[in-house]
Amino acid sequence: MDLKVILISLLLGVFCYCNPQKEGNECISANAKHCGECIQAGAKCGWCEQENFLKQGEALSTRCDEVESLKDRGCNDSQIQNPTGKKWIITNKRVTNRKKVTGVETNKPKPEEITQIQPQKLRLNLRSGENTFYTFYLNFKSEDYPIDLYYLMDLSYSMKDDLENVKNLGTSLMLEMKKITSDFHIGFGSFVEKTVMPYISTTPSKLLNPCTGDQNCTSPFSYKNVLSLTSDGNMFNSLVGKQQISGNLDSPEGGFDAIMQVAVCGEIGWRNVTRLLVFSTDAGFHFAGDGKLGGIVLPNDGKCHLEDNVYTMSHYYDYPSIAHLVQKLSDNNIQTIFAVTEEFQPVYQELKNLIPKSAVGTLSANSSNVINLIIDAYNSLSSEVILDNSKLPEGVEIEYKSQCKNGVVNDKDDGRKCSNISIGDEVNFNITVTSKGCPNEGKSETIKIKPLGFTEEVEIILNFICDCQCQNNDVVKKSEKCSLNGTFECGACRCFEGRVGRNCECSSNDMATDDMDQTCRKDNSTDICSNNGECVCGTCECKKRPNPEERYSGQFCECDNFNCDRSENKLCGGNGRCVCRECICDPMWSGRACDCSLDNSTCLATNKQICNGRGRCECGVCKCTDPKFQGPTCETCPTCPGVCAEHKLCVQCRAFGTGEKMKTCKEECSYFNLITVKDRNKLPQPNDYPYPVMHCKERDANDCWFYYTYAVNDTEREVHVVDKLDCPSGPDIIPIVAGVVAGIVLIGLALLLIWKLLMIIHDRREFAKFEKEKMNAKWDTGENPIYKSAVTTVVNPKYEGKC
């Protein structure tokens, strides 16, 4: 089965993590004393190196502000220090385009010549807080890549029948793996247990043959490297065929000791290729701390201790911990396949969850399915890509987001991996690197990103931008501009230790003298710098406000640009600027808060008269002199005749959804605010409001009445309407129908009774007549001449009447 290209596209975004600000913007809050501090405060922060930029009373740190704010304050664009990051790809070797062939490969590359990841090395210059994206494509290609497989088998007595099947594993597994890769190496190792009590019996006879009865077993051992990795499957069969079963006393085995040695020992022969470790057993495992049972207390050192391919320190070092194994397997890019019997499946499933890039397969009782198990487990491992990175410098974070097969998107903890990948599928990883401040004093750091289970990796060199270019160029030490007591850089003095002042003209020991403080008091006041700054070397340096738009200024910090009058919660009504606590209004505006418009166009009525001739225009607003008229231009008269009829159709369509304007209601009837009430008593009364209220009663097409009021409240029109129509009540249908039905039924019953009565009278009369005729009838008693009797009498002639 061919392995084709898996393209991993990583979008590396360079970000800075900025702490939430309690007040103001991050540039102001930084209170930066030089350009380097400023650019580390955030991505939007810049430093103005223009010499004449600072105004009277402004502190040195006000050179640091958001770039747009610096421009607004008069700093030339070319004088703003705002460095940005960059990206360089250093090594960009193409991935190896290698095809698997059935015959001999004449140009077969060596494993170290195969490239799976592109690019291999790059450099990033990162600035704290920058939101610039740098994109590079990392190609991962796993087609016909070499594979090393080491088979580590439990040779305790319970695995006797399994050994017979494994003896022929070499050539069979070679044939199957050739379908995946043309370069396959296989090795074999075995393990039993630590060679001390109580794990094995230490009696001399048991040390020679730990098995009972006439079983011939080899001496117990901890771990043996039987065959280093080789491409010769026949040699595997030959050496494994010579192996014998051993034995121990307890059920858990010492497999962790063996895994540690396989991972760290060069004798195994691991190449720089895909590495698979098959761990085959039918029992559990000992781990760190269990060695105390045998008096072993020294923790496992994670080093190789093979002599003649035998682990010789099992009696000296404890079993390794699971975390220790995970570290060593990951460091050596080994993917583990646990081939265990069904009984121990739950245990090793839990272990698999702790070891990245590992799999568990169910081993049959005699290991007859081991080849299929290995192939299935390998396919499972290769169907998942998991990215990992080396330890990150302090202040640097990486966030992964994967775009996997079938449009599945993973982020956060699952963003590192993509599962269910088939051959030829393409997956993308978006990677965000976040930087906070200037880690490790600006020294370069290196991080590495790689897919777990693979030896190749991407090396990323991180350089942190901690200083401005002007701190390296045009720097004048002991500058005359700094009174020979500081370095002139980036448009300002950076005073030597013990010197203060904008030009470093004062000693820090002389700052608190009365003479200096006196020059910072206005009109002999007791307040130094008007309590809005501090006296530095006889000069006021005003405080900074959290809002960069708000500033103190003046020789004694007596002025500010935020304590002027406000209108509609806007400084100077939004129509002027605040200068030393007084509003300077824009043209066509006046007043203390610049809230009085001198433009009369807003007072023009439809007849082009100012306020419809019924008022005067004050600050752009009509003041109506006729109390009947209202509205923005004194054109509305709520109590004038015809008001109710004028608004009838709009009230009808908005309140009840009926009427002639039902279809155009939104377009034509949105000029007033509609308020519904429950009944007529809730409608506003004339004395309830200081403005006139018109009561209206109108009838719709269904002869239903509706009641509402119309009024103009300043510039807004209000309509209160009763939410139910007053319709005339119709006849009550149910009683009428019931009465009609009842009447029909009663009439029917009466007719039946009359008919019955008449029939009874008629029958009685007929019966009486019959009786009368019967009594008057005379009947003839003669016989019927045609009547014959039904009786025949026969006399015996011989009968003489004697008995």
Side-chain angles (χ1 to χ4, degrees):
M1 181 173 55
D2 294 336
L3 289 176
K4 298 184 179 177
V5 177
I6 300 176
L7 175 65
I8 304 178
S9 156
L10 289 87
L11 303 176
L12 196 68
V14 180
F15 289 96
C16 167
Y17 171 81
C18 300
N19 285 327
Q21 296 169 216
K22 294 182 179 179
E23 55 180 15
N25 68 45
E26 54 196 356
C27 312
I28 296 294
S29 301
N31 197 27
K33 300 300 183 184
H34 57 85
C35 188
E37 287 184 4
C38 178
I39 63 173
Q40 293 177 39
K44 297 180 180 179
C45 299
W47 177 273
C48 182
E49 58 176 326
Q50 189 172 306
E51 289 189 40
N52 60 351
F53 174 69
L54 295 182
K55 296 180 174 57
Q56 190 175 38
E58 290 184 339
L60 176 64
S61 59
T62 56
R63 288 183 177 272
C64 181
D65 204 342
E66 293 183 356
V67 174
E68 293 302 322
S69 179
L70 290 175
K71 293 179 182 179
D72 294 340
R73 291 168 56 194
C75 186
N76 192 295
D77 193 16
S78 62
Q79 298 291 305
I80 298 177
Q81 288 288 319
N82 183 31
T84 57
K86 295 181 180 179
K87 174 199 71 174
W88 296 270
I89 296 179
I90 301 173
T91 306
N92 195 27
K93 185 180 177 182
R94 289 183 176 274
V95 294
T96 303
N97 187 15
R98 179 186 174 207
K99 298 291 183 179
K100 178 174 65 68
V101 298
T102 56
V104 178
E105 290 181 273
T106 56
N107 296 322
K108 181 178 178 180
K110 297 179 181 178
E112 58 271 15
E113 296 174 346
I114 297 175
T115 302
Q116 283 187 289
I117 296 178
Q118 177 189 1
Q120 296 77 38
K121 187 175 182 180
L122 66 155
R123 177 186 293 117
L124 294 176
N125 279 8
L126 310 182
R127 177 188 166 181
S128 175
E130 192 168 28
N131 289 341
T132 304
F133 282 96
Y134 299 120
T135 303
F136 72 91
Y137 297 94
L138 187 150
N139 296 325
F140 169 72
K141 186 168 184 173
S142 181
E143 181 178 346
D144 192 21
Y145 193 71
I147 297 174
D148 284 353
L149 186 147
Y150 191 84
Y151 196 93
L152 183 60
M153 184 175 182
D154 176 8
L155 284 189
S156 59
Y157 188 77
S158 59
M159 294 286 285
K160 180 180 179 180
D161 53 347
D162 300 78
L163 179 60
E164 295 301 320
N165 285 309
V166 174
K167 288 179 179 180
N168 297 319
L169 178 65
T171 54
S172 301
L173 187 57
M174 278 282 186
L175 292 174
E176 291 296 325
M177 294 302 289
K178 287 292 184 182
K179 298 177 182 179
I180 298 175
T181 176
S182 59
D183 190 351
F184 177 68
H185 284 194
I186 189 171
F188 183 83
S190 58
F191 66 92
V192 180
E193 188 55 275
K194 288 185 180 295
T195 55
V196 296
M197 283 288 289
Y199 312 109
I200 66 167
S201 175
T202 55
T203 59
S205 60
K206 291 295 184 181
L207 288 175
L208 294 175
N209 183 2
C211 299
T212 59
D214 56 353
Q215 298 291 334
N216 186 20
C217 298
T218 189
S219 299
F221 57 92
S222 177
Y223 162 68
K224 287 182 184 178
N225 175 31
V226 178
L227 175 65
S228 297
L229 290 162
T230 177
S231 59
D232 190 347
N234 292 325
M235 183 182 294
F236 181 94
N237 292 346
S238 174
L239 290 177
V240 175
K242 297 177 182 179
Q243 300 305 303
Q244 289 182 300
I245 290 296
S246 185
N248 62 320
L249 296 179
D250 62 341
S251 175
E253 313 294 4
F256 276 16
D257 274 342
I259 293 177
M260 178 62 75
Q261 294 303 301
V262 171
V264 301
C265 288
E267 289 89 336
I268 304 301
W270 293 114
R271 299 177 297 167
N272 195 24
V273 297
T274 298
R275 301 173 177 180
L276 302 178
L277 170 61
V278 179
F279 182 83
S280 176
T281 184
D282 64 349
F285 49 82
H286 285 295
F287 52 89
D290 289 353
K292 293 180 180 180
L293 296 173
I296 303 172
V297 295
L298 284 178
N300 195 287
D301 63 352
K303 296 180 180 179
C304 182
H305 298 286
L306 292 185
E307 294 182 10
D308 295 330
N309 286 320
V310 177
Y311 179 41
T312 58
M313 301 298 285
S314 66
H315 64 287
Y316 191 75
Y317 289 114
D318 193 6
Y319 302 99
S321 66
I322 295 176
H324 199 181
L325 276 183
V326 171
Q327 177 192 349
K328 292 300 179 181
L329 290 171
S330 178
D331 290 345
N332 292 280
N333 303 302
I334 296 174
Q335 304 177 61
T336 310
I337 300 172
F338 295 104
V340 297
T341 54
E342 186 173 1
E343 178 185 358
F344 288 93
Q345 275 283 314
V347 175
Y348 283 90
Q349 283 290 348
E350 293 296 327
L351 182 61
K352 166 190 172 295
N353 295 335
L354 300 175
I355 302 178
K357 292 295 284 186
S358 61
V360 178
T362 303
L363 193 66
S364 61
N366 58 2
S367 295
S368 59
N369 68 331
V370 67
I371 293 180
N372 291 333
L373 184 151
I374 292 172
I375 298 298
D376 292 342
Y378 173 74
N379 290 334
S380 174
L381 290 172
S382 61
S383 68
E384 184 175 55
V385 176
I386 302 177
L387 293 185
D388 192 21
N389 55 266
S390 58
K391 184 179 179 181
L392 299 175
E394 184 179 357
V396 175
E397 296 179 358
I398 292 184
E399 181 181 342
Y400 295 87
K401 183 177 181 180
S402 60
Q403 299 174 354
C404 305
K405 186 177 178 181
N406 298 326
V408 177
V409 178
N410 299 321
D411 56 7
K412 297 182 180 179
D413 293 340
D414 293 331
R416 295 174 173 265
K417 64 182 180 181
C418 277
S419 303
N420 301 320
I421 299 173
S422 303
I423 296 171
D425 288 339
E426 181 179 309
V427 295
N428 301 321
F429 290 87
N430 298 335
I431 300 180
T432 303
V433 177
T434 62
S435 172
K436 177 184 176 182
C438 199
N440 200 18
E441 299 180 353
K443 296 179 181 178
S444 294
E445 296 282 356
T446 300
I447 61 175
K448 295 179 180 180
I449 300 176
K450 68 175 183 178
L452 285 178
F454 296 88
T455 55
E456 295 184 57
E457 59 194 7
V458 180
E459 181 180 347
I460 304 174
I461 301 173
L462 303 179
N463 295 327
F464 303 98
I465 301 175
C466 299
D467 296 315
C468 300
Q469 187 176 0
C470 62
Q471 291 179 268
N472 301 318
N473 303 331
D474 302 328
V475 175
V476 181
K477 295 183 178 180
K478 292 188 177 181
S479 172
E480 293 182 359
K481 296 179 180 179
C482 304
S483 307
L484 301 178
N485 294 316
T487 300
F488 188 79
E489 63 179 29
C490 301
C493 287
R494 193 170 181 177
C495 300
F496 297 148
E497 186 176 357
R499 305 299 297 184
V500 294
R502 183 174 293 188
N503 300 316
C504 308
E505 66 271 25
C506 294
S507 170
S508 59
N509 297 327
D510 301 332
M511 284 183 60
T513 62
D514 292 338
D515 291 339
M516 286 189 179
D517 288 348
Q518 185 63 35
T519 61
C520 295
R521 293 188 176 97
K522 182 181 180 181
D523 300 332
N524 293 324
S525 170
T526 57
D527 296 332
I528 296 177
C529 299
S530 307
N531 286 331
N532 296 323
E534 59 180 346
C535 188
V536 179
C537 199
T539 303
C540 284
E541 285 193 2
C542 303
K543 295 177 183 178
K544 289 190 299 182
R545 296 278 297 175
N547 185 347
E549 303 297 329
E550 298 178 355
R551 292 184 296 274
Y552 292 108
S553 60
Q555 180 181 356
F556 303 101
C557 302
E558 72 278 13
C559 295
D560 64 60
N561 65 345
F562 55 87
N563 272 324
C564 292
D565 291 333
R566 294 175 178 267
S567 176
E568 296 182 357
N569 203 30
K570 294 180 180 179
L571 190 67
C572 297
N575 303 309
R577 65 186 189 278
C578 182
V579 178
C580 202
R581 302 185 179 181
E582 290 187 3
C583 285
I584 306 297
C585 298
D586 295 337
M588 300 301 294
W589 291 93
S590 64
R592 290 182 56 83
C594 300
D595 54 352
C596 184
S597 175
L598 302 179
D599 184 9
N600 290 336
S601 62
T602 56
C603 295
L604 287 177
T606 55
N607 57 8
K608 303 302 180 181
Q609 290 185 338
I610 299 294
C611 300
N612 196 28
R614 292 183 170 86
R616 61 182 182 276
C617 187
E618 296 180 2
C619 296
V621 178
C622 283
K623 301 294 184 181
C624 301
T625 55
D626 189 337
K628 292 183 179 181
F629 288 86
Q630 300 176 3
T633 55
C634 302
E635 293 181 276
T636 304
C637 181
T639 58
C640 294
V643 171
C644 293
E646 178 184 355
H647 304 291
K648 168 188 173 181
L649 295 179
C650 281
V651 173
Q652 185 180 356
C653 78
R654 287 190 60 182
F656 308 106
T658 60
E660 297 177 8
K661 293 188 177 182
M662 181 173 58
K663 295 182 179 179
T664 59
C665 194
K666 290 184 179 179
E667 294 78 9
E668 300 183 17
C669 301
S670 58
Y671 58 87
F672 59 83
N673 295 329
L674 183 69
I675 303 169
T676 59
V677 296
K678 294 296 183 180
D679 52 56
R680 294 173 62 182
N681 295 330
K682 300 294 184 181
L683 290 173
Q685 300 302 314
N687 297 329
D688 291 346
Y689 298 100
Y691 45 84
V693 177
M694 185 69 176
H695 280 254
C696 300
K697 175 183 178 182
E698 297 292 335
R699 185 165 58 184
D700 62 12
N702 297 322
D703 288 335
C704 294
W705 295 93
F706 57 94
Y707 303 89
Y708 65 93
T709 61
Y710 180 83
V712 179
N713 178 11
D714 293 333
T715 59
E716 292 186 358
R717 304 182 184 188
E718 291 184 355
V719 172
H720 290 72
V721 61
V722 179
D723 59 1
K724 292 182 180 180
L725 293 169
D726 185 7
C727 298
S729 58
D732 197 348
I733 302 300
I734 294 177
I736 294 174
V737 173
V740 171
V741 172
I744 293 173
V745 172
L746 290 175
I747 292 172
L749 290 174
L751 292 175
L752 286 174
L753 289 174
I754 293 171
W755 175 80
K756 184 65 176 177
L757 180 61
L758 291 175
M759 290 301 295
I760 291 173
I761 294 172
H762 175 72
D763 289 345
R764 287 183 177 181
R765 286 178 178 176
E766 288 295 323
F767 183 75
K769 183 179 179 182
F770 171 75
E771 287 292 333
K772 183 177 180 181
E773 289 178 353
K774 181 179 177 183
M775 293 177 61
N776 295 331
K778 293 182 178 181
W779 301 99
D780 190 2
T781 57
E783 292 183 358
N784 189 345
I786 63 174
Y787 170 76
K788 278 188 177 183
S789 175
V791 180
T792 304
T793 303
V794 180
V795 179
N796 189 347
K798 296 293 184 177
Y799 176 67
E800 295 181 352
K802 296 180 178 179
C803 297

